[in-house]
Amino acid sequence: MAQMSREILKTFLYFVFIYALTIYAWMHFKIIYEVILVKSVMEFFAFMFEQTLHKINYVNGVFSVYMNSNMPFLDAVKKPLTLTWTMGHNLNPIIYNFPMSLAATMALIFGRYNTKRDFLLIFHVMVLVVLLHATILFFESVVIAADNMKSNPMMHVALEQYMLMHIDYKYILFFLVKYGLQFEPFIMLIYVWTLLSVRKQSAYLLNKLPTLIYS
């Protein structure tokens, strides 16, 4: 019991120290992460729906993404018409838990460190969190585009051929935002704790195996 209390206290102190460093680093690199995330997801969105990413503006915390869509109609000189449409994204509600997720899992890893291999779990967590953010941003983009299709006849013509545009992703998006983002640090902690426990148990069994064989 005393040993468990010491481990909990040690992990907590690690968390306080690492979280302070993470927040400091996050203030400097947050905008870089946002730009890379938006650029990557919007390029993927444009590829999926045969759009052209025209430009991305960032004003007052909101990204305005401009897409060009080649229309199946011709103008007076028989050139394809181009529709330019836009969507806005505020990433703060999506990425706000990233520092806590990273700090909490790093504290757990440092507190229960066994091998150098355990440090690779930090990269596991970063990849999983980035994938979660990218998935939410993509679904949010599809929902915005689908809503715009209902009020803009030209967008409807440009995007109606894509099956994904006719599926209601609002419930999936709500679930990911409501539970995936809010519980992001705890999900990452459970993931890391489970892998660390499995590795520790496996190492213990491997050490005991020769004794069990020759006993």
Side-chain angles (χ1 to χ4, degrees):
M1 189 67 178
Q3 182 179 357
M4 182 180 295
S5 299
R6 285 195 297 271
E7 287 184 0
I8 294 174
L9 178 60
K10 181 172 69 173
T11 302
F12 175 74
L13 293 176
Y14 273 131
F15 170 74
V16 172
F17 177 72
I18 296 172
Y19 189 49
L21 293 179
T22 305
I23 287 293
Y24 178 78
W26 183 246
M27 289 188 297
H28 291 80
F29 293 102
K30 175 177 176 287
I31 185 61
I32 298 176
Y33 175 68
E34 289 181 327
V35 170
I36 294 174
L37 184 65
V38 171
K39 176 70 173 175
S40 302
V41 174
M42 291 301 99
E43 288 284 5
F44 180 72
F45 178 92
F47 171 78
M48 287 290 296
F49 300 105
E50 297 181 281
Q51 306 292 297
T52 301
L53 181 59
H54 179 54
K55 65 178 179 179
I56 300 174
N57 289 339
Y58 179 76
V59 179
N60 296 327
V62 177
F63 287 89
S64 296
V65 182
Y66 294 83
M67 292 280 181
N68 285 344
S69 177
N70 291 325
M71 304 293 294
F73 306 119
L74 302 178
D75 61 11
V77 293
K78 296 185 178 180
K79 289 184 179 180
L81 293 173
T82 300
L83 167 68
T84 300
W85 57 281
T86 182
M87 66 176 82
H89 291 292
N90 180 4
L91 265 63
N92 285 326
I94 298 177
I95 65 175
Y96 69 98
N97 257 335
F98 200 165
M100 180 171 287
S101 297
L102 190 58
T105 51
M106 288 178 67
L108 182 60
I109 291 168
F110 287 137
R112 302 191 62 182
Y113 167 75
N114 289 302
T115 66
K116 293 180 180 179
R117 183 186 173 195
D118 293 339
F119 285 112
L120 292 176
L121 291 176
I122 298 173
F123 298 100
H124 288 201
V125 169
M126 293 180 68
V127 170
L128 290 173
V129 171
V130 171
L131 286 176
L132 175 63
H133 296 169
T135 300
I136 291 174
L137 184 58
F138 177 77
F139 280 131
E140 185 177 81
S141 301
V142 176
V143 169
I144 292 173
D147 285 343
N148 289 341
M149 282 176 58
K150 298 174 183 177
S151 58
N152 189 325
M154 292 189 70
M155 276 193 65
H156 183 80
V157 172
L159 298 173
E160 65 176 345
Q161 60 179 309
Y162 301 103
M163 182 68 68
L164 290 176
M165 282 294 172
H166 299 280
I167 301 174
D168 189 357
Y169 293 103
K170 291 181 180 178
Y171 295 105
I172 298 176
L173 185 61
F174 173 80
F175 178 83
L176 289 175
V177 171
K178 185 70 175 178
Y179 299 103
L181 293 180
Q182 289 192 12
F183 294 100
E184 175 190 304
F186 303 102
I187 295 172
M188 295 301 110
L189 278 173
I190 292 171
Y191 171 76
V192 170
W193 181 85
T194 301
L195 286 184
L196 288 175
S197 299
V198 169
R199 288 179 183 179
K200 186 175 181 179
Q201 187 65 26
S202 299
Y204 174 79
L205 291 176
L206 286 174
N207 290 332
K208 285 291 185 180
L209 189 59
T211 304
L212 295 174
I213 292 175
Y214 294 107
S215 60

